Amino acid sequence: AEKKGRVEFRDVTFKYPGAEAPVLSNISFTAEPGKTLAIIGSTGAGKTTLVSLLPRLYDVASGDVLLDGVPVTKMDASEITSRVSAVPQKPYLFSGTIEHNLRFGKPDATDDELWDALETAQAKGFVEEKSSGLNRRIAQGGTNVSGGQRQRLSIARALVTKPNVYLFDDSFSALDVATDARLRKALKAKTRDATVIIVAQRVSTIADADEILVLDNGRIVDRGTHDELLETSPTYQEIVES
Ligand code: TTP
Ligand code: MG
């Protein structure tokens, strides 16, 4: 069967409600199942805004956002939720157990599925280190868990739902470089059929992506692989050197 999860942005322009100027202009790209698309750019460039348009946190002003050829504006919220898993830049954990938090998107997941997701997200050791295991309590907002653990639990939660599309908004930034690399290697093995879109700050996180979009001031200023961009993109070179 054909793989699902093809994401296409067609000439998308977006303004926040009440704002004068668009924060995204003429955004066009395609992200294919089995591939990783990365988005990089300075703070305020519009990366979070861009990835929020697929799960329809906001709707576009003009242009189209399509999932397997269907505009997301024509899809049920429940269908989008089951097919697209977004790990937000500021991941949220609920007051409740780790299990409760992990099952959020898929209440009928088995314990094996939860542990498998935790292993991929490099969070298994953290959950095993207390005898309460999956029943460990998380405080509201995840305040009794470190930023890096919050990110990993949030990544595990996304993995449990086995979506067609993963959106990781700066999800690896609180991890040390070695954990970041281990996590992404495990992730790659587990998400072979899915479309993966990664927003990143660090070039090392996305150097192996199939395509990288360089976003600046709401526009895609350059695109290509890491090696291509090193040759062609002054903006990318600046990010590499920063
Ligand atoms: P973002 O899309 O948040 O920019 P970013 O994700 O690239 O930045 P960072 O690397 O720091 O995560 O913001 C783009 C512009 O949109 C910026 O001028 C702030 C504005 N904005 C709003 O007006 N309302 C919002 O809810 C958000 C998220 C951004
Ligand atoms: Mg952001």
Side-chain angles (χ1 to χ4, degrees), residues 111-192:
D111 278 9
D112 279 351
E113 287 176 311
L114 302 188
W115 283 110
D116 194 50
L118 287 167
E119 186 167 22
T120 304
Q122 311 296 305
K124 195 174 168 208
F126 164 75
V127 179
E128 280 175 337
E129 96 200 355
K130 294 255 166 86
S131 60
S132 48
L134 289 171
N135 294 319
R136 179 152 153 202
R137 308 288 307 177
I138 302 287
Q140 186 171 4
T143 49
N144 58 343
V145 175
S146 77
Q149 296 299 359
R150 220 176 296 152
Q151 281 190 327
R152 282 183 258 186
L153 290 173
S154 187
I155 291 165
R157 174 198 280 156
L159 284 161
V160 168
T161 66
K162 299 194 175 72
N164 301 138
V165 184
Y166 289 93
L167 301 176
F168 296 109
D169 189 356
D170 207 13
S171 303
F172 312 106
S173 58
L175 309 176
D176 61 80
V177 173
T179 307
D180 176 5
R182 262 203 317 278
L183 197 161
R184 281 180 302 100
K185 190 172 171 213
L187 202 58
K188 208 161 192 172
K190 286 288 172 188
T191 59
R192 252 182 238 296

Coordinates of all heavy atoms in Angstrom, one line a residue, residues 111-192:
D111 N 0.6 -1.7 27.5 CA 1.8 -1.3 28.2 C 3.1 -1.5 27.4 O 4.0 -0.7 27.5 CB 1.9 -2.1 29.5 CG 1.0 -1.6 30.6 OD1 0.2 -0.6 30.3 OD2 1.1 -2.0 31.8
D112 N 3.1 -2.5 26.6 CA 4.3 -2.8 25.7 C 4.5 -1.6 24.8 O 5.6 -1.2 24.5 CB 4.1 -4.0 24.9 CG 4.4 -5.3 25.7 OD1 4.9 -5.2 26.8 OD2 4.2 -6.4 25.2
E113 N 3.4 -1.1 24.3 CA 3.5 0.1 23.4 C 4.1 1.3 24.1 O 4.9 2.1 23.5 CB 2.2 0.4 22.7 CG 1.7 -0.6 21.7 CD 0.4 -0.4 21.1 OE1 -0.6 -0.2 21.9 OE2 0.2 -0.4 19.9
L114 N 3.6 1.5 25.3 CA 4.1 2.6 26.1 C 5.6 2.5 26.4 O 6.4 3.4 26.2 CB 3.4 2.7 27.5 CG 1.9 2.9 27.4 CD1 1.3 3.1 28.8 CD2 1.4 4.0 26.5
W115 N 6.0 1.3 26.8 CA 7.5 1.0 27.1 C 8.3 1.2 25.8 O 9.4 1.7 25.8 CB 7.7 -0.3 27.7 CG 7.3 -0.3 29.2 CD1 6.2 -1.0 29.7 CD2 8.0 0.4 30.3 NE1 6.2 -0.7 31.1 CE2 7.2 0.1 31.4 CE3 9.1 1.2 30.3 CZ2 7.6 0.6 32.7 CZ3 9.5 1.7 31.6 CH2 8.7 1.4 32.7
D116 N 7.8 0.7 24.7 CA 8.5 0.8 23.4 C 8.7 2.3 23.1 O 9.8 2.7 22.7 CB 7.6 0.1 22.4 CG 8.4 -0.2 21.1 OD1 9.5 -0.7 21.2 OD2 7.9 0.2 20.0
A117 N 7.7 3.1 23.3 CA 7.8 4.5 23.0 C 8.8 5.2 23.9 O 9.6 6.0 23.5 CB 6.4 5.2 23.1
L118 N 8.7 4.8 25.2 CA 9.7 5.4 26.2 C 11.1 5.0 25.8 O 12.0 5.8 25.9 CB 9.4 4.9 27.6 CG 8.1 5.4 28.2 CD1 7.7 4.7 29.5 CD2 8.3 6.9 28.6
E119 N 11.3 3.8 25.3 CA 12.7 3.4 24.9 C 13.2 4.2 23.8 O 14.3 4.7 23.8 CB 12.6 1.9 24.6 CG 14.0 1.3 24.3 CD 14.1 -0.2 24.3 OE1 13.0 -0.8 24.0 OE2 15.2 -0.7 24.5
T120 N 12.3 4.4 22.7 CA 12.7 5.2 21.6 C 13.0 6.6 22.0 O 14.0 7.2 21.6 CB 11.6 5.2 20.5 OG1 11.3 3.8 20.2 CG2 12.0 5.9 19.3
A121 N 12.2 7.1 22.9 CA 12.4 8.5 23.4 C 13.5 8.7 24.4 O 13.7 9.8 24.9 CB 11.0 9.1 23.9
Q122 N 14.2 7.6 24.7 CA 15.3 7.7 25.7 C 14.8 8.1 27.0 O 15.5 8.8 27.8 CB 16.4 8.6 25.2 CG 16.9 8.4 23.8 CD 17.5 7.1 23.5 OE1 18.5 6.7 24.2 NE2 17.0 6.3 22.6
A123 N 13.6 7.6 27.4 CA 13.0 8.0 28.7 C 12.7 6.8 29.5 O 12.2 6.9 30.6 CB 11.7 8.8 28.5
K124 N 13.1 5.6 29.0 CA 12.8 4.3 29.7 C 13.5 4.3 31.1 O 12.9 4.0 32.1 CB 13.2 3.2 28.9 CG 12.7 1.8 29.3 CD 13.0 0.8 28.3 CE 12.7 -0.6 28.9 NZ 13.5 -1.7 28.4
G125 N 14.8 4.7 31.1 CA 15.6 4.6 32.3 C 15.0 5.5 33.4 O 14.9 5.2 34.5
F126 N 14.6 6.7 32.9 CA 13.9 7.7 33.8 C 12.7 7.1 34.5 O 12.4 7.3 35.7 CB 13.6 9.0 33.1 CG 12.7 9.9 33.7 CD1 13.1 10.7 34.8 CD2 11.4 10.0 33.3 CE1 12.2 11.5 35.4 CE2 10.5 10.8 33.9 CZ 10.9 11.6 35.0
V127 N 11.9 6.4 33.7 CA 10.6 5.8 34.3 C 10.9 4.6 35.1 O 10.3 4.4 36.2 CB 9.6 5.5 33.1 CG1 8.4 4.9 33.7 CG2 9.3 6.7 32.3
E128 N 11.9 3.9 34.8 CA 12.3 2.7 35.6 C 13.0 3.0 36.9 O 13.0 2.1 37.8 CB 13.2 1.8 34.7 CG 12.5 0.9 33.7 CD 13.5 0.2 32.8 OE1 14.7 0.6 32.7 OE2 13.1 -0.9 32.2
E129 N 13.6 4.2 37.0 CA 14.4 4.4 38.1 C 13.6 4.5 39.4 O 14.2 4.4 40.5 CB 15.3 5.7 37.9 CG 14.8 7.0 38.4 CD 15.4 8.2 37.8 OE1 16.3 8.1 37.0 OE2 14.9 9.3 38.1
K130 N 12.3 4.7 39.4 CA 11.5 4.7 40.6 C 10.6 3.5 40.5 O 10.1 3.1 39.4 CB 10.6 6.0 40.6 CG 11.4 7.3 40.8 CD 11.2 7.8 42.2 CE 12.2 8.9 42.5 NZ 11.8 10.2 42.0
S131 N 10.3 2.9 41.7 CA 9.5 1.6 41.7 C 8.1 1.9 41.2 O 7.4 1.0 40.7 CB 9.5 1.0 43.1 OG 9.0 1.9 44.0
S132 N 7.6 3.1 41.3 CA 6.3 3.4 40.9 C 6.1 3.3 39.3 O 5.0 3.2 38.8 CB 5.8 4.8 41.3 OG 6.8 5.7 41.1
G133 N 7.3 3.4 38.6 CA 7.3 3.1 37.2 C 6.3 4.0 36.4 O 6.3 5.2 36.6
L134 N 5.4 3.4 35.7 CA 4.4 4.1 34.9 C 3.4 4.8 35.7 O 2.7 5.7 35.3 CB 3.7 3.2 33.9 CG 4.5 2.6 32.7 CD1 3.7 1.5 32.0 CD2 4.8 3.7 31.7
N135 N 3.3 4.4 37.0 CA 2.3 5.0 37.9 C 2.9 6.3 38.7 O 2.2 6.9 39.5 CB 1.8 4.0 39.0 CG 1.0 3.0 38.3 OD1 0.2 3.2 37.4 ND2 1.2 1.7 38.7
R136 N 4.1 6.6 38.3 CA 4.7 7.8 39.0 C 3.9 9.0 38.7 O 3.4 9.2 37.6 CB 6.1 8.0 38.4 CG 6.9 9.1 38.9 CD 8.4 8.7 38.8 NE 9.3 9.8 38.7 CZ 10.5 9.6 38.2 NH1 10.9 8.5 37.7 NH2 11.3 10.7 38.1
R137 N 3.7 9.9 39.7 CA 2.9 11.1 39.6 C 3.7 12.2 38.9 O 4.8 12.5 39.3 CB 2.4 11.6 40.9 CG 1.8 10.6 41.8 CD 0.4 10.2 41.4 NE -0.5 11.3 41.1 CZ -1.8 11.1 40.7 NH1 -2.2 9.8 40.4 NH2 -2.6 12.1 40.5
I138 N 3.0 12.8 38.0 CA 3.6 14.0 37.4 C 2.7 15.2 37.9 O 1.5 15.1 37.9 CB 3.4 14.0 35.8 CG1 4.2 12.7 35.3 CG2 3.9 15.3 35.2 CD1 5.7 12.9 35.2
A139 N 3.4 16.3 38.3 CA 2.7 17.4 38.8 C 2.1 18.2 37.6 O 2.6 18.1 36.5 CB 3.6 18.3 39.6
Q140 N 1.1 19.0 37.9 CA 0.5 19.8 36.8 C 1.6 20.7 36.1 O 2.4 21.3 36.8 CB -0.5 20.8 37.4 CG -1.3 21.5 36.3 CD -2.5 22.3 36.9 OE1 -2.7 22.3 38.1 NE2 -3.2 22.9 36.1
G141 N 1.6 20.6 34.8 CA 2.6 21.3 34.0 C 4.0 20.6 34.0 O 4.9 21.1 33.4
G142 N 4.1 19.5 34.7 CA 5.3 18.7 34.7 C 6.4 19.4 35.4 O 7.6 19.2 35.1
T143 N 6.0 20.1 36.5 CA 7.0 20.9 37.2 C 8.0 20.1 38.0 O 9.0 20.6 38.5 CB 6.3 22.0 38.1 OG1 5.3 21.3 38.8 CG2 5.7 23.1 37.2
N144 N 7.6 18.8 38.3 CA 8.5 17.9 39.1 C 9.4 17.1 38.2 O 10.0 16.1 38.6 CB 7.8 17.1 40.0 CG 6.7 16.2 39.4 OD1 6.4 16.4 38.2 ND2 6.3 15.1 40.0
V145 N 9.5 17.5 36.9 CA 10.3 16.8 35.9 C 11.2 17.8 35.2 O 10.7 18.9 35.0 CB 9.3 16.1 34.9 CG1 10.0 15.4 33.8 CG2 8.4 15.1 35.6
S146 N 12.4 17.4 34.8 CA 13.3 18.4 34.2 C 12.8 18.7 32.8 O 12.0 17.9 32.2 CB 14.7 17.8 34.1 OG 14.8 16.9 33.1
G147 N 13.3 19.8 32.2 CA 12.9 20.2 30.9 C 13.2 19.1 29.8 O 12.3 18.8 28.9
G148 N 14.3 18.5 29.9 CA 14.7 17.4 29.0 C 13.8 16.2 29.1 O 13.4 15.6 28.2
Q149 N 13.4 15.9 30.4 CA 12.5 14.7 30.6 C 11.1 15.0 30.1 O 10.5 14.2 29.5 CB 12.4 14.3 32.1 CG 13.7 13.9 32.7 CD 14.3 12.6 32.1 OE1 13.7 12.1 31.1 NE2 15.5 12.2 32.5
R150 N 10.7 16.3 30.3 CA 9.4 16.7 29.8 C 9.4 16.5 28.3 O 8.4 16.0 27.7 CB 9.2 18.2 30.2 CG 7.8 18.5 30.6 CD 7.7 19.9 31.1 NE 8.5 20.2 32.3 CZ 9.0 21.3 32.6 NH1 8.8 22.4 31.8 NH2 9.7 21.5 33.7
Q151 N 10.5 17.0 27.6 CA 10.5 16.8 26.1 C 10.5 15.3 25.8 O 9.7 14.9 24.9 CB 11.8 17.4 25.6 CG 11.8 18.9 25.5 CD 13.0 19.5 24.7 OE1 14.1 18.9 24.8 NE2 12.8 20.6 24.0
R152 N 11.2 14.5 26.5 CA 11.3 13.1 26.1 C 9.9 12.4 26.3 O 9.5 11.5 25.5 CB 12.4 12.4 26.9 CG 13.7 12.7 26.2 CD 14.8 11.9 26.9 NE 15.5 12.8 27.8 CZ 16.6 12.5 28.5 NH1 17.1 11.3 28.4 NH2 17.2 13.3 29.2
L153 N 9.2 12.7 27.5 CA 7.9 12.1 27.7 C 6.9 12.6 26.6 O 6.1 11.8 26.2 CB 7.4 12.5 29.1 CG 8.2 11.8 30.3 CD1 7.7 12.4 31.6 CD2 8.0 10.3 30.2
S154 N 7.1 13.8 26.2 CA 6.2 14.4 25.2 C 6.4 13.7 23.8 O 5.5 13.4 23.1 CB 6.4 15.9 25.2 OG 5.5 16.5 24.3
I155 N 7.7 13.4 23.6 CA 8.0 12.7 22.3 C 7.5 11.2 22.4 O 6.9 10.7 21.5 CB 9.6 12.6 22.1 CG1 10.1 14.0 21.8 CG2 10.0 11.6 21.0 CD1 11.6 14.2 21.9
A156 N 7.6 10.6 23.6 CA 7.1 9.3 23.8 C 5.6 9.3 23.6 O 5.0 8.4 22.9 CB 7.4 8.7 25.2
R157 N 4.9 10.3 24.1 CA 3.4 10.4 23.9 C 3.1 10.4 22.4 O 2.1 9.8 22.0 CB 2.9 11.6 24.6 CG 1.5 11.9 24.4 CD 1.2 13.4 24.7 NE 1.0 13.6 26.1 CZ 1.2 14.8 26.7 NH1 1.5 15.8 26.0 NH2 1.0 14.9 28.0
A158 N 3.8 11.2 21.7 CA 3.6 11.3 20.2 C 3.8 9.9 19.5 O 3.0 9.5 18.7 CB 4.5 12.3 19.6
L159 N 4.8 9.2 20.0 CA 5.1 7.9 19.3 C 4.0 6.9 19.6 O 3.7 6.1 18.7 CB 6.4 7.4 19.9 CG 7.7 8.0 19.3 CD1 8.9 7.8 20.3 CD2 8.0 7.5 17.9
V160 N 3.4 7.0 20.8 CA 2.3 6.0 21.1 C 1.2 6.0 20.1 O 0.6 5.0 19.8 CB 1.8 6.3 22.6 CG1 0.6 5.5 22.9 CG2 2.9 5.9 23.6
T161 N 0.9 7.2 19.6 CA -0.2 7.3 18.7 C 0.0 6.8 17.3 O -0.9 6.6 16.5 CB -0.7 8.8 18.5 OG1 0.3 9.5 17.9 CG2 -1.0 9.4 19.9
K162 N 1.3 6.5 17.0 CA 1.7 6.0 15.6 C 1.0 6.7 14.5 O 0.2 6.2 13.7 CB 1.4 4.5 15.5 CG 2.2 3.7 16.5 CD 2.1 2.2 16.2 CE 3.0 1.3 17.1 NZ 2.4 1.2 18.5
P163 N 1.3 8.0 14.4 CA 0.6 8.9 13.4 C 1.3 8.7 12.0 O 2.4 8.0 11.9 CB 0.9 10.3 13.9 CG 2.2 10.2 14.5 CD 2.3 8.8 15.2
N164 N 0.7 9.3 11.0 CA 1.4 9.4 9.7 C 2.4 10.5 9.6 O 3.3 10.5 8.8 CB 0.4 9.7 8.6 CG -0.7 8.6 8.5 OD1 -1.9 8.9 8.3 ND2 -0.3 7.3 8.6
V165 N 2.2 11.5 10.4 CA 3.1 12.7 10.4 C 3.5 13.1 11.8 O 2.6 13.2 12.7 CB 2.4 13.9 9.8 CG1 3.3 15.1 9.7 CG2 1.8 13.6 8.4
Y166 N 4.8 13.3 12.0 CA 5.3 13.8 13.3 C 5.8 15.2 13.1 O 6.5 15.5 12.1 CB 6.5 13.0 13.8 CG 6.2 11.6 14.2 CD1 6.2 10.5 13.3 CD2 5.9 11.3 15.5 CE1 5.9 9.2 13.8 CE2 5.6 10.1 16.0 CZ 5.6 9.0 15.1 OH 5.3 7.7 15.5
L167 N 5.4 16.1 14.0 CA 6.0 17.5 14.0 C 6.7 17.6 15.3 O 6.2 17.5 16.4 CB 4.8 18.5 14.0 CG 3.9 18.5 12.8 CD1 2.8 19.5 13.0 CD2 4.6 18.7 11.5
F168 N 8.0 17.9 15.2 CA 8.8 18.1 16.4 C 9.3 19.6 16.4 O 10.1 19.9 15.6 CB 10.1 17.2 16.4 CG 9.7 15.7 16.5 CD1 9.9 14.9 15.4 CD2 9.2 15.2 17.7 CE1 9.6 13.5 15.5 CE2 8.9 13.8 17.8 CZ 9.1 13.0 16.7
D169 N 8.7 20.4 17.3 CA 9.1 21.8 17.4 C 10.1 22.0 18.4 O 9.8 22.1 19.6 CB 7.8 22.7 17.6 CG 8.2 24.1 17.5 OD1 9.3 24.5 17.2 OD2 7.2 25.0 17.6
D170 N 11.4 22.0 18.0 CA 12.5 22.3 18.8 C 12.5 21.3 20.0 O 12.8 21.6 21.1 CB 12.3 23.7 19.4 CG 13.6 24.3 19.7 OD1 14.7 23.8 19.4 OD2 13.6 25.3 20.4
S171 N 12.2 20.0 19.7 CA 12.0 19.0 20.7 C 13.3 18.4 21.3 O 13.2 17.6 22.2 CB 11.1 17.9 20.2 OG 9.9 18.4 19.7
F172 N 14.4 18.7 20.7 CA 15.6 18.1 21.1 C 16.6 19.1 21.8 O 17.7 18.7 22.1 CB 16.3 17.4 19.9 CG 15.3 16.6 19.1 CD1 14.8 17.0 17.9 CD2 14.8 15.4 19.6 CE1 13.9 16.3 17.2 CE2 13.9 14.6 18.9 CZ 13.4 15.1 17.7
S173 N 16.1 20.3 21.9 CA 17.1 21.4 22.3 C 17.5 21.3 23.8 O 18.6 21.7 24.1 CB 16.4 22.7 22.1 OG 15.2 22.8 22.8
A174 N 16.7 20.6 24.6 CA 17.1 20.5 26.0 C 17.9 19.3 26.3 O 18.3 19.0 27.4 CB 15.8 20.5 26.9
L175 N 18.2 18.5 25.2 CA 18.9 17.3 25.4 C 20.4 17.6 25.1 O 20.7 18.4 24.2 CB 18.4 16.2 24.4 CG 16.9 16.0 24.4 CD1 16.5 15.0 23.4 CD2 16.5 15.5 25.8
D176 N 21.3 16.8 25.8 CA 22.7 16.9 25.4 C 22.9 16.3 24.0 O 22.1 15.5 23.5 CB 23.6 16.3 26.5 CG 23.3 14.8 26.6 OD1 23.8 14.0 25.8 OD2 22.5 14.5 27.5
V177 N 24.0 16.7 23.4 CA 24.2 16.3 22.0 C 24.2 14.8 21.8 O 23.6 14.2 20.8 CB 25.6 16.9 21.5 CG1 25.9 16.4 20.1 CG2 25.4 18.4 21.4
A178 N 24.8 14.0 22.8 CA 24.8 12.6 22.7 C 23.4 11.9 22.7 O 23.1 11.1 22.0 CB 25.7 12.0 23.7
T179 N 22.6 12.4 23.7 CA 21.2 11.9 23.8 C 20.4 12.3 22.6 O 19.6 11.5 22.1 CB 20.6 12.5 25.1 OG1 21.4 12.2 26.2 CG2 19.2 11.8 25.4
D180 N 20.6 13.5 22.2 CA 19.9 14.0 20.9 C 20.2 13.0 19.8 O 19.3 12.5 19.1 CB 20.4 15.4 20.6 CG 19.9 16.0 19.3 OD1 19.0 15.4 18.7 OD2 20.3 17.1 19.0
A181 N 21.5 12.7 19.6 CA 21.8 11.8 18.5 C 21.2 10.4 18.7 O 20.7 9.8 17.7 CB 23.4 11.7 18.4
R182 N 21.3 9.8 19.9 CA 20.7 8.5 20.2 C 19.2 8.5 19.9 O 18.7 7.6 19.3 CB 21.0 8.1 21.6 CG 22.2 7.2 21.8 CD 22.1 6.4 23.1 NE 21.6 7.2 24.3 CZ 22.3 8.0 25.0 NH1 23.6 8.1 24.8 NH2 21.8 8.6 26.0
L183 N 18.6 9.5 20.4 CA 17.1 9.6 20.2 C 16.7 9.7 18.8 O 15.9 8.9 18.3 CB 16.6 10.8 21.0 CG 15.1 10.9 21.3 CD1 14.8 11.9 22.4 CD2 14.3 11.2 20.1
R184 N 17.4 10.5 18.0 CA 17.1 10.6 16.6 C 17.3 9.4 15.8 O 16.6 9.0 14.9 CB 17.7 11.8 16.0 CG 17.0 13.1 16.4 CD 17.6 14.3 15.8 NE 19.0 14.5 16.2 CZ 20.0 14.2 15.4 NH1 19.9 13.7 14.2 NH2 21.3 14.3 15.9
K185 N 18.4 8.6 16.2 CA 18.7 7.3 15.5 C 17.5 6.3 15.8 O 17.0 5.7 14.9 CB 20.0 6.8 16.0 CG 20.5 5.6 15.2 CD 21.9 5.2 15.6 CE 22.3 3.9 15.0 NZ 23.2 3.1 15.8
A186 N 17.1 6.2 17.1 CA 16.0 5.3 17.4 C 14.7 5.7 16.8 O 14.0 4.9 16.3 CB 15.9 5.3 19.0
L187 N 14.5 7.1 16.7 CA 13.3 7.6 16.1 C 13.3 7.3 14.6 O 12.2 6.9 14.1 CB 13.4 9.1 16.3 CG 12.1 9.9 16.2 CD1 11.2 9.5 17.3 CD2 12.5 11.4 16.4
K188 N 14.4 7.4 14.0 CA 14.4 7.1 12.5 C 14.0 5.7 12.3 O 13.2 5.4 11.4 CB 15.9 7.3 12.0 CG 15.9 7.7 10.6 CD 17.2 8.4 10.2 CE 17.0 9.0 8.8 NZ 18.0 9.8 8.4
A189 N 14.5 4.7 13.1 CA 14.1 3.3 12.9 C 12.6 3.1 13.2 O 12.0 2.2 12.5 CB 15.0 2.5 13.9
K190 N 12.0 3.9 14.1 CA 10.6 3.7 14.4 C 9.6 4.4 13.5 O 8.4 4.2 13.6 CB 10.4 4.1 15.9 CG 11.0 3.2 16.9 CD 10.2 1.9 17.0 CE 10.9 0.9 17.9 NZ 10.2 -0.4 17.9
T191 N 10.1 5.4 12.8 CA 9.2 6.2 12.0 C 9.5 6.1 10.5 O 9.3 7.0 9.8 CB 9.4 7.7 12.4 OG1 10.7 8.1 12.2 CG2 9.0 7.9 13.9
R192 N 9.9 4.9 10.1 CA 10.3 4.7 8.7 C 9.3 5.0 7.7 O 9.6 5.5 6.6 CB 10.7 3.2 8.5 CG 12.2 3.1 8.4 CD 12.5 1.6 8.1 NE 13.4 1.1 9.1 CZ 14.7 1.5 9.3 NH1 15.2 2.5 8.5 NH2 15.5 1.0 10.2

